[in-house]
Amino acid sequence: LLTCTLFVPSVASAQESQGNERRGLFGGLGFGVGIGDCLGGECDFGGSGNARIGGTVSDRWRLAFATHGYVSNDYEFGAATFQGLYNPGGGDFFLLFGAGAGTASGWSTTGLALVGGLGIDISINKSGSLALTPFLNFIYTTDETSWDDKADFLQAGLGLTFN
C-alpha cells in the first residue's frame, strides 16, 4: 500500500508534464484570411486555408507535407510543400519553412513554391493531443514556363493541430 501511495502520484505527475511534448504523427487544419499578389503591386483580399500531416523527428523538429490555398473574387492560388517545423526553445512556438510546387489562376503549369511562417500550439486538453494554432505564413511561387510570372500571398488564421 505504501509503495502504491508513493508510486502512483509520481507516475501521474510525470504523465501530466508530458502534455506539450511532441511525439509521433501529427496533423492539422487551418482557416483564415489572405492578402494576395502584394509583390505584384495590387493587393487582393480573400480567404485562405491549409492542411498538414507529418511526423515528429525530435523535441524541436517536425517534418510535414502541407497544402495551402487562397481564393478571392479575382485570384486563386495553391501550393503543396514539404515543410520543416522548428521549435527554437523546445516549447510551443515554431518557425516553418518549406518548398514544393505551386500554381495560380491563369497559369497553365505549376512552378516552384516556397513557404515561410510562424505559429504557436496552445494546448486545449490535458494530454496535449489537441491544440489551437494561430499562424502567419507567406507563400511565394513562380510559373516554370515564365519566371516573370510570380504569385504570392500572406495568410493569417487559426488552426487545430492533432498530436
Side-chain angles (χ1 to χ4, degrees), residues 27-31 48-54 64-70 77-83 85 96 98-103 113 115 135 137 139 153 155:
L29 294 171
F31 299 97
S48 71
N50 62 38
R52 168 183 309 128
I53 188 162
F65 172 77
T67 60
H68 298 270
Y70 168 80
F77 174 81
T81 61
F82 289 100
Q83 301 178 342
L85 288 80
L96 172 140
T103 189
V115 61
F135 61 87
N137 297 323
I139 296 92
F153 81 94
Q155 67 177 178

Side-chain angles (χ1 to χ4, degrees), residues 74-162:
D74 302 320
Y75 186 70
E76 293 177 6
F77 174 81
T81 61
F82 289 100
Q83 301 178 342
L85 288 80
Y86 176 66
N87 300 84
D92 298 329
F93 173 77
F94 62 88
L95 300 172
L96 172 140
F97 57 91
T103 189
S105 54
W107 292 2
S108 60
T109 63
T110 59
L112 174 67
L114 302 173
V115 61
L118 52 92
I120 187 166
D121 291 327
I122 303 167
S123 183
I124 57 175
N125 63 353
K126 276 189 172 186
S127 69
S129 63
L130 195 58
L132 288 177
T133 307
F135 61 87
L136 180 66
N137 297 323
F138 180 74
I139 296 92
Y140 174 84
T141 192
T142 185
D143 186 354
E144 71 176 24
T145 60
S146 170
W147 293 99
D148 294 332
D149 289 337
K150 298 171 180 69
D152 64 90
F153 81 94
L154 180 70
Q155 67 177 178
L158 183 63
L160 193 59
T161 300
F162 311 91

Side-chain angles (χ1 to χ4, degrees), residues 5-30:
T5 305
L6 296 174
F7 183 72
V8 172
S10 65
V11 170
S13 67
Q15 288 175 342
E16 286 181 11
S17 69
Q18 295 173 0
N20 290 329
E21 289 186 26
R22 289 162 168 74
R23 296 182 185 180
L25 294 175
F26 73 99
L29 294 171

